[in-house]
Amino acid sequence: MIQAKGYAVQSATSPLAPFAFTRRVPGPNDVHIEILYCGICHTDLHQCRNDWGGSTYPMVPGHEIIGRVKAVGAAVTKLKAGDFAGVGCMVDSCRQCAACQADLEQYCENGTLWTYNSKQRDTNETTYGGYSDQIVVEERFVVKVPATLDLKAAAPLLCAGITTYSPLRHWKVGPGQKVGVIGLGGLGHMGVKFAKAMGSHVVMITTSPDKAKDALRLGADEVLISREPAAMTRHAKSFHFLLNTIPNGHDLNPYAALLKLDGTMVLVGALTALEPPLAGASIIHGRRRIAGSAIGGMAETQEMFDFCAKHHIVSDVEVIAIQDVNNAFERLKKNLVRYRFVIDMATLRAGK
Ligand code: NAP
Ligand code: ZN
Ligand code: ZN
């Protein structure tokens, strides 16, 4: 076993604190990665605090991992020592089911193995995530990170990036379409950048008027303040597509009213009940659709990295020391991050 160190929570109410654990010895198909940066996703906060139920402790969160390959197993062909590598939300799946065979490992019918808070099928061991110094992952679940990207700003691509890129691609967002991105946070700011790069007319839909200037800088053509009913009415029935990143249950009806005939709203943020209930009329009128989407498959994640390298897209990040991670969680909860925290793992190694 390899001795690893990281930060973990011990319960739904405890702070993140130093934690020692082990990683498996790399097998022939494994990539051993020295973690350089790890983004802080709102999911990390949800999972640590058991917002969705099913959290197990101790938990080492983190699924926006960028690092340098230390070593590879004999059968690995995609990466070699010294390459930059990325690991996102998943580290394994069954490979046999229809979803896996269609490169949609995140929908594996036999259960995706998540990067943390998940149990290995064979050993029943808990997975530990990227708030740590190193990780060992099977080649299929590692992407090659183009060396031209700013590594710290590329870390959030592993979750915030792919979670917004995938639905925009799946629903074929592009020129001639009016696209709304709801919620300017880690996911939302990537959604704006991608929707713009794909050629659509982008409207940032936010509860925070003070983010309007940033939204335009990030690539939005217009800003719509969702708390202003008159502004919402002005945009009613006008959107081809809405990407909804709101992290909690909320009233979908006012957002559905923004969709034009045959328009689609895709939820990526709210996993819990949506209240008040969705009125049937909100989707029956206009033959509207409401759908959901989870991250993206490994092949699509690699495709997204190549898209980012071509279009010079990375995240807007605030780099923090791991010793400040609890403060970062508080600020994330209060909607005070512009727009993604990334932990510099050199601060873990320095171990102050
Ligand atoms: P985040 O950085 O906190 O951003 C969320 C944004 O939503 C906030 O900045 C805020 O933007 C808006 N917002 C927050 N509370 C709201 C409310 N009550 N009503 C309306 N708007 C609200 O979070 P994130 O990291 O982007 O993650 C967003 C959600 O996606 C989380 O629930 C996370 O767990 C989930 N997620 C899902 C997937 C997936 O595969 N589907 C992957 C990753 C993350 P404004 O200030 O602009 O309103
Ligand atoms: Zn995430
Ligand atoms: Zn499968």
Side-chain angles (χ1 to χ4, degrees):
M1 286 298 178
I2 296 169
Q3 292 302 318
K5 58 181 181 176
Y7 266 53
V9 285
Q10 299 290 340
S11 77
T13 53
S14 74
L16 283 146
F19 177 66
F21 61 102
T22 56
R23 298 285 191 193
R24 69 169 180 264
V25 172
N29 297 301
D30 281 337
V31 182
H32 185 185
I33 299 165
E34 174 194 18
I35 300 177
L36 300 176
Y37 297 102
C38 185
I40 298 182
C41 179
H42 204 119
T43 298
D44 301 344
L45 183 58
H46 285 310
Q47 294 278 27
C48 286
R49 299 299 164 233
N50 199 20
D51 290 345
W52 300 334
S55 292
T56 58
Y57 304 96
M59 182 193 300
V60 178
H63 58 207
E64 293 185 337
I65 299 166
I66 291 261
R68 190 185 289 107
V69 176
K70 275 164 91 94
V72 298
V76 171
T77 56
K78 206 166 67 182
L79 292 133
K80 58 179 187 320
D83 284 346
F84 294 116
V87 177
C89 299
M90 359 175 226
V91 287
D92 208 352
S93 69
C94 85
R95 334 277 171 102
Q96 314 291 330
C97 74
C100 285
Q101 300 225 332
D103 286 328
L104 296 167
E105 302 93 338
Q106 75 276 30
Y107 303 119
C108 175
E109 291 162 20
N110 296 305
T112 306
L113 183 71
W114 305 111
T115 303
Y116 66 87
N117 195 40
S118 207
K119 292 272 184 212
Q120 310 251 20
R121 230 188 315 273
D122 43 353
T123 61
N124 207 35
E125 276 172 26
T126 300
T127 54
Y128 292 126
Y131 295 9
S132 60
D133 61 348
Q134 55 193 304
I135 192 164
V136 176
V137 181
E138 211 270 343
E139 177 180 29
R140 176 169 174 156
F141 292 84
V142 181
V143 292
K144 190 164 177 171
V145 176
T148 51
L149 291 177
D150 176 0
L151 292 181
K152 59 185 182 305
L157 297 176
L158 272 310
C159 178
I162 187 60
T163 303
T164 49
Y165 179 88
S166 181
L168 291 170
R169 274 282 186 244
H170 183 77
W171 275 275
K172 301 188 169 49
V173 160
Q177 293 181 18
K178 181 174 171 182
V179 172
V181 178
I182 306 171
L184 186 46
L187 268 57
H189 92 290
M190 294 311 304
V192 169
K193 292 184 188 205
F194 285 138
K196 187 67 191 170
M198 291 172 191
S200 57
H201 180 86
V202 186
V203 182
M204 184 66 236
I205 304 172
T206 176
T207 61
S208 308
D210 62 309
K211 291 182 184 173
K213 232 169 107 184
D214 277 350
L216 298 173
R217 175 180 58 77
L218 292 164
D221 298 288
E222 294 180 64
V223 177
L224 167 56
I225 309 298
S226 52
R227 289 191 171 138
E228 291 177 2
M232 291 291 274
T233 304
R234 271 199 304 281
H235 284 267
K237 300 183 189 168
S238 69
F239 285 86
H240 295 85
F241 185 83
L242 292 170
L243 181 64
N244 182 339
T245 76
I246 298 173
N248 305 302
H250 58 278
D251 187 356
L252 278 186
N253 296 288
Y255 297 108
L258 297 173
L259 292 170
K260 63 188 291 160
L261 176 64
D262 286 328
T264 301
M265 168 157 52
V266 172
L267 307 184
V268 292
L271 270 78
T272 48
L274 295 152
E275 286 162 341
L278 178 69
S282 291
I283 50 172
I284 289 170
H285 296 306
R287 197 161 59 183
R288 296 164 171 137
R289 284 170 292 218
I290 294 183
S293 182
I295 47 171
M298 292 315 301
E300 192 174 39
T301 307
Q302 188 68 64
E303 174 196 310
M304 176 207 61
F305 266 96
D306 299 339
F307 182 91
C308 288
K310 184 168 163 211
H311 293 272
H312 308 291
I313 292 176
V314 285
S315 281
D316 287 33
V317 300
E318 179 178 339
V319 177
I320 63 157
I322 200 159
Q323 292 78 5
D324 293 332
V325 69
N326 290 300
N327 181 38
F329 266 33
E330 280 308 306
R331 284 179 54 199
L332 179 58
K333 204 161 109 188
K334 292 182 185 150
N335 195 7
L336 292 174
V337 49
R338 305 288 186 271
Y339 284 91
R340 199 54 139 191
F341 287 120
V342 171
I343 303 166
D344 179 354
M345 227 47 79
T347 60
L348 174 64
R349 286 189 191 87
K352 281 174 281 171

